[in-house]
Amino acid sequence: MDPIIEEGYTRLLETLEELQAKKEESASKVQENAGALLARMAADTAPVVGRMGLDMLRRAKREASGELYDQEYYEKKMIVLGKTDPLPYRPDDPSKPIDTQICVLGEDGNLFEVMYTTTEIRIDSYLAPLAPEEAFDLYGYDVVVMLYRALYEYAEKEEELTAALARTLEYIIS
C-alpha cells in the first residue's frame, strides 16, 4: 500500500478516536448537568403552565359502566412530561398498587410524580415531589424533550390564535 494512503488512514483512525473521546467527555458533562438543565427549563416554563397545562385528576368514583363521577382535580394545572413503568405500590399506602406513574411539571415550576391507583369503584392518586435528578433517573431525557415540545406547540397555537384575531379585526374594520 502507498505510504501516503497508510498515513492518511492512520490519521483518520486517530481522528475518530479523538472524536469518540470528546463525545464521551461531552456526554458525561451533559449527564452531570442534566438535573440543572431540567431545573432551569422548569423554572423558565412555570409562568405559562397555568395557561397551557391540564387539570389532572386527583380522585374519582367509577360507576359500573366505567363512567367517572364525583371527580376531584388538583388545584393547579400541570404538564405531563413522561411515563414510566410503575412501582409495585404507592409510598403513602403500600396496600395500593400503582397502575400509572407519570412525571409532571406544576404551575410553581416544581416537578412531581403522580401515581394512580385504579380499582373497580375508585381512582385515586398520590402526588410526590420529584427532584430534577430523580426525574432523569426515572424518566430519562424524555422529560426535557416533552417540556420543549409542549412549549413549542403552545407557541404555535398562540401564533395561530394571534393570526386569527388579526384577520377577524381586519374583517371588522374593513
Side-chain angles (χ1 to χ4, degrees), residues 2-131:
D2 189 354
I4 293 178
I5 293 174
E6 281 186 44
E7 252 182 69
Y9 192 73
T10 302
R11 180 63 192 134
L12 183 59
L13 290 172
E14 289 171 357
T15 301
L16 286 173
E17 285 179 26
E18 291 170 8
L19 289 172
Q20 182 64 30
K22 285 180 183 178
K23 184 175 104 178
E24 288 173 7
E25 180 184 339
S26 297
S28 174
K29 285 182 182 177
V30 168
Q31 286 176 336
E32 288 172 16
N33 296 304
L37 169 68
L38 181 57
R40 287 183 64 191
M41 288 177 73
D44 289 347
T45 306
V48 296
V49 173
R51 292 188 303 257
M52 66 185 261
L54 306 168
D55 289 318
M56 298 292 293
L57 182 68
R58 183 178 187 152
R59 68 176 62 106
K61 295 177 184 172
R62 187 190 301 253
E63 293 180 357
S65 66
E67 295 293 319
L68 300 179
Y69 67 98
D70 287 344
Q71 295 112 324
E72 291 180 34
Y73 294 90
Y74 286 101
E75 282 183 31
K76 299 191 180 215
K77 292 186 176 185
M78 301 175 196
I79 299 173
V80 176
L81 300 179
K83 183 177 179 181
T84 190
D85 293 329
L87 295 172
Y89 58 86
R90 288 189 359 200
D92 66 323
D93 186 347
S95 69
K96 293 183 178 180
I98 300 171
D99 299 309
T100 304
Q101 184 173 337
I102 58 176
C103 178
V104 297
L105 173 65
E107 285 184 58
D108 56 4
N110 292 322
L111 295 165
F112 298 94
E113 258 186 320
V114 182
M115 301 172 191
Y116 285 101
T117 301
T118 305
T119 64
E120 290 180 20
I121 58 171
R122 188 171 178 84
I123 295 175
D124 75 331
S125 66
Y126 172 69
L127 184 71
L130 190 62

Side-chain angles (χ1 to χ4, degrees), residues 136-155:
F136 273 109
D137 290 344
L138 293 169
Y139 298 92
Y141 284 92
D142 288 350
V143 292
V144 171
V145 172
M146 289 302 293
L147 188 53
Y148 177 83
R149 185 173 177 152
L151 273 179
Y152 183 81
E153 289 177 4
Y154 179 72

